[in-house]
């Protein structure tokens, strides 16, 4: 993708894009809702995925392994492995294994430390106004550290991986994150991912300003 202009920082290394279904695991859950009427049944179906946080963790893990940021492990954990790890360190109950429960920035922080010995910084922002105030902190992370960042929230609960930032000094809300979206399902190729927006520059104002967000910033 073309960079938006000056004042742009990207991750400092290679990574592998992990997304829904990329390893054969079906982390797109299909839900069906039935509405019974007197003479008809209205059936609606939609996809609600649960694996986006795991895929963001795997993408970050691939950066650590590809760029030799850890001497402890060179393994990219499977979803089962991640769930087992969180049970083993007493963060989750045993029923968590092989469940369809989500994980967020805190669990990703725990897994990176346990598997690779990589600590992470957690940033919590209450809303869009605080998101704007933390733009330079994220810019500084890419400038000094250079690792991918996991981003997740509550109203906007879809996990995202950030691999770059562009700051706009004239209008900070027009600053942009380079987002790698794990919700793609299918055979990934660069042209498709860019054309359909799965890997794209997103302005800060495009995010949900009513949602809180948590960021996991691996320090490696």
């Amino acid at each position: 993708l073309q960079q938006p202009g000056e004042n742009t920082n990207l991750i400092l290394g290679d990574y592998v894009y992990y997304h829904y279904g990329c390893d054969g695991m079906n982390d797109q859950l299909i839900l069906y809702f039935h509405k019974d009427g007197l003479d008809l049944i209205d059936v609606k179906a939609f996809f609600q995925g649960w694996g986006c946080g795991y895929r963001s963790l795997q993408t970050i893990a691939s950066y650590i392994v590809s760029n030799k940021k850890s001497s402890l492990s060179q393994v990219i954990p499977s979803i089962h492995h991640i769930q087992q790890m969180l049970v083993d360190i007493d963060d989750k109950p045993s029923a968590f294994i092989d469940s369809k429960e989500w994980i967020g920035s805190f669990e990703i922080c725990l897994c990176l430390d346990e598997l690779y010995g990589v600590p992470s910084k957690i940033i919590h922002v209450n809303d869009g106004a605080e998101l704007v105030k933390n733009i330079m902190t994220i810019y500084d992370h890419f400038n000094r550290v250079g690792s991918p960042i996991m981003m997740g929230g509550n109203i906007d609960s879809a996990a995202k991986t950030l691999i770059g930032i562009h700051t706009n000094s004239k209008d900070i809300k027009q600053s942009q994150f380079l987002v790698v979206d794990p919700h793609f399902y299918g055979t990934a190729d660069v042209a498709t991912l860019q054309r359909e927006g799965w890997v794209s520059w997103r302005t800060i104002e495009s995010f949900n300003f009513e949602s809180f967000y948590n960021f996991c910033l691996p320090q490696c």
Side-chain angles (χ1 to χ4, degrees), residues 15 17-18 59 159-163 178-182 198-200:
Y15 71 97
Y17 171 51
Y18 281 80
T59 297
K160 307 161 188 66
T161 310
L162 310 183
I163 61 170
L178 181 51
V179 177
V180 175
D181 188 336
W198 301 104
V199 179
S200 64

Side-chain angles (χ1 to χ4, degrees), residues 3 35 58 95 101 117 127 149 185 187-188:
Q3 294 186 20
K35 181 180 179 182
Q58 290 173 323
E101 295 293 322
D127 52 29
I149 295 173
Y185 193 91
T187 302

Side-chain angles (χ1 to χ4, degrees), residues 34-212:
H34 301 264
K35 181 180 179 182
D36 293 329
L38 294 176
D39 300 313
L40 58 85
I41 298 178
D42 180 22
V43 181
K44 295 182 179 179
F46 67 90
F47 292 97
Q48 179 179 323
W50 54 271
C52 53
Y54 297 94
R55 301 309 186 182
S56 183
L57 170 55
Q58 290 173 323
T59 297
I60 295 171
S62 76
Y63 171 87
I64 293 172
V65 170
S66 297
N67 299 285
K68 298 181 172 55
K69 297 291 184 177
S70 172
S71 60
L72 296 183
S73 176
Q74 298 299 304
V75 172
I76 309 298
S78 65
I79 290 178
H80 177 83
H81 185 180
I82 293 165
Q83 292 178 334
Q84 181 69 61
M85 193 184 332
L86 289 168
V87 170
D88 290 345
I89 63 176
D90 295 325
D91 180 68
K92 302 293 184 187
S94 58
F96 183 69
I97 297 174
D98 295 328
S99 71
K100 293 179 174 61
E101 295 293 322
W102 299 1
I103 63 170
S105 57
F106 179 70
E107 289 87 356
I108 289 177
C109 174
L110 293 177
C111 289
L112 293 177
D113 185 56
E114 177 71 14
L115 190 57
Y116 303 111
V118 170
S120 298
K121 178 179 180 180
I122 299 291
I123 297 176
H124 174 77
V125 299
N126 288 312
D127 52 29
E130 287 194 11
L131 176 58
V132 170
K133 292 177 181 178
N134 280 276
I135 293 302
M136 293 313 299
T137 300
I138 296 171
Y139 181 89
D140 184 61
H141 169 83
F142 284 116
N143 186 46
R144 293 187 306 103
V145 182
S147 57
I149 295 173
M150 181 272 184
M151 176 182 184
N154 62 338
I155 298 174
D156 179 7
S157 60
K160 307 161 188 66
T161 310
L162 310 183
I163 61 170
I165 186 172
H166 166 71
T167 58
N168 187 318
S169 58
K170 294 181 180 179
D171 183 355
I172 197 68
K173 289 185 180 180
Q174 292 301 313
S175 297
Q176 300 176 58
F177 291 147
L178 181 51
V179 177
V180 175
D181 188 336
H183 297 84
F184 174 79
Y185 193 91
T187 302
D189 63 81
V190 173
T192 298
L193 296 176
Q194 293 184 4
R195 183 178 65 255
E196 297 182 0
W198 301 104
V199 179
S200 64
W201 287 100
R202 287 187 56 184
T203 61
I204 303 306
E205 66 179 2
S206 72
F207 292 91
N208 190 321
F209 270 45
E210 301 299 319
S211 180
F212 76 67

